[in-house]
Amino acid sequence: MNILDRYHAMEYGPAPEARNEADAWLAARDFGRALFIGGDWKAASGGKTFETSEPSSGKLLANVSDANAVDIDAAVAAATKALPKWSAASGYQRAKVLYAIGRAMQRHQRLFAVLETIDNGKPIRESRDIDVPLAIRHFIHHAGWAQALDRDFAGHKGVGVVGQIIPWNFPLLMLAWKIAPALAAGCTVVLKPAEFTPLTAILFAEICERAGVPKGVVNIVQGGPEAGVAIVNHPGIQKIAFTGSSEVGKIIRKATAGSGKKLSLELGGKSAFIVFEDADLDSAVEGLVDGIWFNQGQVCCAGSRLLVQEGIADALIAKVKTRMSRLRVGSPLDKNTDIGPLVDLTQLDRVKGLVAEGARQGAVCWQPDAALPSSGYYHLPTLATGVSPANILAQEEVFGPVLATMTFRNTEEAIELANNTRYGLAASVWSENVNLALHVAPQLKAGVVWVNGTNMFDAACGFGGYRESGFGREGGREGMFAYLTAKLPLGPVIKPATTSAQPVEQPDGDTIDRTAKLFIGGKQVRPDGNYSLAIATAKGKLAGEVGLGSRKDIRDAVSAARGAKAWPEATAYNRSQVLYYLAENLSGRAGEFAARLTELTGATPKAAREEVEQSIERLFLYAGLADKFEGRVHQPPARAVTLALHEPVGVVGIVAPDSSPLLGLISLVAPALAMGNTVVAVPSERYPLLATDLYQVIEYSDIPSGAINIVTGRSAELAGVLAKHDDVDGLWVFADAETCAKAEAESIGNLKRVWSGNGRSLDWASDEAAGDAFLRRAVEVKNVWVPYGD
């Protein structure tokens, strides 16, 4: 036998990771007292426990305290008590605590890794080399943010008590993603781990004790749905941070509507893995292994849809099958294992069911010829070919080791297929032509795009999605903003509109009736229902009539906004010029608008003129910032740079208030336009003639058709229509509290980003009601990872 024969005949020997330290920790712990509340270990008040088992064998690991609403009350009370002192601590004091947590985790990182693998089932190589080091990195990185808070986030402070709910696929890493920025911001925490994987959170609580975390700053409550519901609904919590399924995310969005709670959701995904014909196929195959079979495919950003250019499809699929046949399925504690068990029998049954349904719908499902362990929740890696875009394997998040494959002919088709999903979390682009890759990346509806790589993460770089993958970011500067708040200058409480009940007198003398139309797609159009709304002057006389917009008018306006490609594709400098021109043209008619303000609102001529001048000034501000509110370049500890690009949210619906009707409308519309969004605006219900008077100014200010659309009518009704419309990507509502709450609740269809005044207007004339705070709401931050070097 020659050396080559010997090489091919070699087999892997077992290389198990020792688990004796983890078993000793398990044996010594009283899991019946596993609630960490106010710095003390407590049993659940109801005495209930739940089981956590080892996925590789199904054997019981522990019976863990199962918290109920009473326990959540106690945890929130402890966090509330600790909040004043923790938030008042200096950034340096908080930084020392965060650093101490990171260093203590480093000293126990092997125990963390083994416990994570035992409890979750992921291969030890992933726990040891990825999850635990990244978790440590987050605490040490955010120690720096804690000390730099006053410098880098001037005018901001921690949001308060934060409720956090994390999933079972990355138990320790998700804990770090949530707790580290919260502590850096000066918040206190009530965190609920997943029932399937409570162990590393319990060990982390022990680390908090050793690291000197003040009592009540971190509270960790094990439990099931009852505990989760209690956290979401608790009035003492100011922010909810949730990672999990899109279905549960929608429930949380609806439950928190109208509460004023800040919300960030990191939800499901159906990420595209795009391979162009000039890609390095061997590298792409290795990236694909990491993209879909990492953590058994139980990854929200898993590259579960392989889109491959037709000319190389056969060659790439052959290489993928060869590589799949060499993946080792087995004990997750074996250092040679590539694929461990799924987390639980219910997850295994779900994956099997989806694969069977995908095959029934026409997919050809191939698996390597390999034996599965005799016990545990294992599933072979699966390749589905012949998958149609509508197949369940192409549309639903399987959350298992299943890859759906489709082909494309050209770049445009690749982008269209990639975006053919209700999700928008991540994507990978493979091409040796970096120009092509960076041409495609901004066109993908995904919060993270990896070029010639996949599953790259770092604490300095934001992570999060678009669409039904949620909103908000974790990590980086934008991740810190998720735990901070800046007090905007509040205006009056907004009362429900009563225009329909206002008596309107006919004006004296002969007049020619003129009903202002709607402004849709660059044209003045009659409302679909052919109804109008009488608008009174401050003296109760008829000032004019406006069209009474309806659901169909909103539909037409959204369609026009969606089709207005020229505006988001324009350069920031071009948008800046147009906004300057709009301000210039409004200035030319300042006297006319001031007179209209006085007529409608009763404002003095001086006050009316000031509002018009402030409106012009606000347009100038956002014109000047259009090409200055830019993204960043991050340098993570890897051979890559991360481009944090500012992208427009998309179609933004705006419901403007009655207070300062011209300035309020412009203060909302201008930042949205400056960042490249297209707008469907519902102006003040009581004073809409100020908006209809803008039509002519807009028409001769070079704003492309459809970039701004104005639909007059009942604010509450139209806000609800915008909230339900799945082609609206963002919604800003300044209306009465009931309308705001309803808009938030009804936005769950596509989980659009909603900014609501919660029944309060703003002091639109103040400097704080302008600038970066508004621009941040007008952009999505997309992180594009670009590797370099050989």
Side-chain angles (χ1 to χ4, degrees):
M1 180 181 287
N2 61 35
I3 189 66
L4 188 60
D5 293 332
R6 291 179 182 276
Y7 174 77
H8 286 299
M10 282 196 300
E11 293 184 359
Y12 284 98
E17 174 72 29
R19 58 177 292 167
N20 54 304
E21 292 292 332
D23 287 333
W25 182 85
L26 287 165
R29 195 75 181 77
D30 179 6
F31 292 99
R33 298 179 62 82
L35 306 185
F36 187 67
I37 298 175
D40 297 322
W41 293 97
K42 299 181 179 181
S45 61
K48 291 176 61 178
T49 62
F50 63 87
E51 294 182 351
T52 183
S53 301
E54 192 168 354
S56 62
S57 66
K59 293 180 180 178
L60 178 68
L61 288 170
N63 285 294
V64 182
S65 306
D66 189 356
N68 60 22
V70 174
D71 301 310
I72 300 304
D73 282 341
V76 173
T80 302
K81 181 179 179 181
L83 180 63
K85 189 173 182 180
W86 180 248
S87 61
S90 71
Y92 171 54
Q93 290 171 315
R94 292 200 298 271
K96 287 194 295 182
V97 171
L98 282 157
Y99 179 72
I101 292 172
R103 289 291 290 123
M105 291 176 71
Q106 283 179 328
R107 291 193 295 273
H108 298 278
Q109 58 184 333
R110 185 56 63 94
L111 177 57
F112 271 114
V114 176
L115 279 177
E116 195 81 323
T117 288
I118 289 173
D119 204 18
N120 170 273
K122 62 177 61 190
I124 186 64
R125 287 186 291 115
E126 295 175 10
S127 299
R128 181 195 65 201
D129 299 340
I130 299 172
D131 291 29
V132 177
L134 265 177
I136 294 166
R137 158 81 171 141
H138 269 265
F139 282 100
I140 294 177
H141 173 81
H142 283 90
W145 275 131
Q147 199 162 357
L149 203 63
D150 291 340
R151 186 195 70 187
D152 287 76
F153 301 93
H156 289 75
K157 66 175 185 177
V159 69
V161 177
V162 178
Q164 301 175 325
I165 302 172
I166 59 174
W168 45 259
N169 57 336
F170 290 92
L172 182 66
L173 186 55
M174 292 297 101
L175 176 151
W177 281 20
K178 295 286 190 293
I179 291 181
L183 297 192
C187 302
T188 54
V189 168
V190 176
L191 179 136
K192 188 192 89 67
E195 305 98 294
F196 288 150
T197 52
L199 297 184
T200 48
I202 295 171
L203 176 58
F204 176 80
E206 294 180 356
I207 291 293
C208 288
E209 287 183 296
R210 300 171 193 170
V213 178
K215 291 185 176 184
V217 170
V218 172
N219 304 273
I220 295 179
V221 285
Q222 315 294 337
E226 181 183 355
V229 169
I231 289 173
V232 169
N233 293 329
H234 203 289
I237 288 177
Q238 286 77 52
K239 173 185 166 63
I240 299 293
F242 172 77
T243 296
S245 71
S246 297
E247 291 72 25
V248 176
K250 291 180 179 182
I251 293 170
I252 292 172
R253 164 74 281 186
K254 191 169 185 177
T256 57
S259 67
K261 291 177 183 175
K262 199 166 185 177
L263 182 63
S264 56
L265 301 173
E266 196 267 282
L267 307 176
K270 196 68 186 173
S271 301
F273 191 101
I274 308 170
V275 183
F276 286 95
E277 59 189 0
D278 66 345
D280 179 339
L281 297 192
D282 291 326
S283 295
V285 169
E286 291 307 309
L288 191 60
V289 169
D290 186 34
I292 181 57
W293 293 301
F294 173 58
N295 196 18
Q296 295 73 256
Q298 299 171 131
V299 184
C300 53
C301 57
S304 56
R305 290 185 299 145
L306 172 60
L307 309 181
V308 54
Q309 200 153 11
E310 281 184 352
I312 59 166
D314 291 344
L316 181 65
I317 294 300
K319 287 178 176 288
V320 170
K321 287 183 175 180
T322 299
R323 185 68 176 87
M324 288 174 66
S325 67
R326 290 175 169 78
L327 292 173
R328 297 178 63 83
V329 181
S331 167
L333 281 173
D334 191 323
K335 300 181 187 71
N336 294 318
T337 292
D338 298 303
I339 297 179
L342 299 180
V343 74
D344 185 76
L345 181 59
T346 55
Q347 182 65 12
L348 177 61
D349 289 342
R350 180 179 184 276
V351 172
K352 287 180 176 178
L354 286 169
V355 171
E357 179 60 21
R360 192 190 69 77
Q361 294 180 9
V364 178
C365 296
W366 181 89
Q367 295 175 333
D369 183 15
L372 291 177
S374 58
S375 63
Y377 312 125
Y378 291 89
H379 193 286
L380 284 172
T382 303
L383 174 67
T385 55
V387 177
S388 71
N391 190 292
I392 194 169
L393 296 179
Q395 290 297 322
E396 294 298 323
E397 186 180 32
V398 178
F399 227 59
V402 180
L403 177 65
T405 304
M406 291 171 278
T407 61
F408 63 87
R409 288 164 292 185
N410 54 40
T411 302
E412 292 72 23
E413 188 177 8
I415 294 168
E416 185 175 358
L417 282 171
N419 290 337
N420 181 34
T421 173
R422 68 182 189 273
Y423 299 108
L425 188 54
S428 295
V429 180
W430 292 76
S431 171
E432 290 298 282
N433 182 347
V434 71
N435 291 326
L436 173 62
L438 294 180
H439 168 69
V440 170
Q443 299 182 68
L444 299 177
K445 282 294 184 183
V448 179
V449 179
W450 296 293
V451 173
N452 293 331
T454 191
N455 283 341
M456 291 184 278
F457 308 100
D458 187 64
C461 307
F463 181 87
Y466 299 175
R467 298 174 168 175
E468 291 189 36
S469 290
F471 46 79
R473 295 292 183 266
E474 297 188 277
R477 183 180 179 85
E478 54 268 35
M480 281 300 301
F481 275 118
Y483 288 91
L484 295 168
T485 184
K487 292 294 184 184
L488 290 174
L490 292 177
V493 172
I494 301 175
K495 298 179 181 179
T498 57
T499 49
S500 59
Q502 289 180 343
V504 179
E505 298 179 20
Q506 293 297 320
D508 298 330
D510 295 330
T511 60
I512 298 175
D513 175 64
R514 178 179 181 275
T515 299
K517 299 180 177 69
L518 312 180
F519 190 71
I520 297 175
K523 299 177 182 178
Q524 298 186 44
V525 299
R526 291 184 177 87
D528 179 81
N530 282 320
Y531 286 101
S532 62
L533 186 66
I535 303 303
T537 68
K539 296 180 179 180
K541 295 186 180 295
L542 180 67
E545 296 187 22
V546 297
L548 187 61
S550 66
R551 177 182 60 83
K552 290 184 178 179
D553 299 309
I554 292 290
R555 177 199 64 190
D556 293 343
V558 172
S559 179
R562 181 65 65 188
K565 304 296 185 185
W567 187 250
E569 292 175 0
T571 66
Y573 175 54
N574 289 152
R575 295 197 299 270
S576 173
Q577 287 179 299
V578 171
L579 289 173
Y580 275 130
Y581 194 27
L582 180 63
E584 179 184 334
N585 290 331
L586 179 58
S587 178
R589 297 177 60 176
E592 175 186 335
F593 277 87
R596 179 71 95 172
L597 269 167
T598 296
E599 176 194 23
L600 294 174
T601 68
T604 65
K606 180 181 178 183
R609 185 71 188 208
E610 285 177 355
E611 182 171 341
V612 175
E613 291 299 330
Q614 288 167 338
S615 300
I616 296 165
E617 181 181 349
R618 195 120 319 159
L619 282 169
F620 257 73
L621 171 69
Y622 288 116
L625 292 175
D627 59 356
K628 297 175 184 65
F629 189 73
E630 299 177 302
R632 293 168 176 259
V633 177
H634 300 301
Q635 293 179 286
R639 292 191 305 166
V641 293
T642 308
L643 312 178
L645 306 178
H646 282 178
E647 295 189 336
V649 171
V651 176
V652 175
I654 292 175
V655 180
D658 290 336
S659 62
S660 303
L662 179 64
L663 179 59
L665 177 65
I666 285 177
S667 295
L668 293 167
V669 169
L673 290 176
M675 293 297 98
N677 299 283
T678 55
V679 169
V680 177
V682 177
S684 159
E685 181 174 335
R686 190 172 179 184
Y687 310 116
L689 290 172
L690 286 157
T692 62
D693 288 351
L694 278 173
Y695 294 171
Q696 289 183 345
V697 181
I698 294 169
E699 286 172 333
Y700 56 73
S701 295
D702 293 340
I703 297 178
S705 298
I708 178 170
N709 306 271
I710 298 176
V711 180
T712 55
R714 311 281 188 208
S715 295
E717 176 186 337
L718 298 179
V721 177
L722 286 166
K724 293 176 183 176
H725 202 303
D726 284 351
D727 263 351
V728 175
D729 304 298
L731 180 58
W732 302 354
V733 184
F734 284 84
D736 61 276
E738 182 180 351
T739 298
C740 291
K742 188 175 180 182
E744 291 177 352
E746 293 181 341
S747 70
I748 63 173
N750 66 343
L751 278 174
K752 59 177 63 67
R753 291 173 53 175
V754 179
W755 174 29
S756 140
N758 293 310
R760 297 290 296 269
S761 187
L762 297 182
D763 178 4
W764 300 104
S766 66
D767 291 339
E768 293 82 6
D772 287 6
F774 286 66
L775 294 172
R776 278 194 298 273
R777 291 178 167 91
V779 297
E780 296 275 17
V781 181
K782 171 181 286 182
N783 281 273
V784 179
W785 288 71
V786 184
Y788 57 81
D790 294 332

